[in-house]
Amino acid sequence: MSTIPQPPEPGKGASREDIEADIDATRDRLADDVAALADKVNVPGHVKARIDQTRGNVGQAARHARRQATQRARTLPRSAQLAIPGALATLGLILIIVGRRRRAR
């Protein structure tokens, strides 16, 4: 897994320090490989990261849409600006009435 080129193993007649240094270097490379494998198989971690990324994207898109809607609403004629809240209130009343009729059944 390691992409770092491995140094050659100490040859015959290598000093104790050379052998210990080689062992330490091998342990470090092995630890890096194990950490990389653990990260690869950490599915919950990948899912959480993807969820966080998606939340950020959705939040950004919502803020953008809100800004656009506000800008467009400001360019509407005054009569349309007054009609929108009335239409929303009417829609809310219709939904309440329909909901009550369904519960009454």
Side-chain angles (χ1 to χ4, degrees):
M1 291 212 52
S2 181
T3 58
I4 301 171
Q6 298 182 11
E9 292 184 9
K12 290 185 179 182
S15 69
R16 178 182 176 130
E17 291 81 20
D18 290 341
I19 294 172
E20 287 177 353
D22 181 58
I23 290 171
D24 287 340
T26 302
R27 282 184 183 147
D28 289 343
R29 286 192 308 274
L30 181 60
D32 291 343
D33 288 346
V34 169
L37 278 172
D39 184 50
K40 257 189 175 176
V41 298
N42 183 8
V43 175
H46 290 288
V47 169
K48 184 182 180 320
R50 186 67 174 187
I51 288 171
D52 291 343
Q53 178 185 11
T54 302
R55 279 185 183 148
N57 292 345
V58 168
Q60 184 179 4
R63 286 187 295 276
H64 180 70
R66 188 179 322 130
R67 275 194 302 270
Q68 279 188 331
T70 302
Q71 289 172 352
R72 288 182 182 166
R74 288 182 181 149
T75 62
L76 290 175
R78 185 72 179 151
S79 59
Q81 289 179 2
L82 295 175
I84 290 173
L88 291 175
T90 304
L91 179 63
L93 286 173
I94 291 171
L95 291 174
I96 290 171
I97 293 169
V98 169
R100 286 185 179 174
R101 286 186 180 174
R102 284 190 180 172
R103 274 189 257 149
R105 285 183 184 177

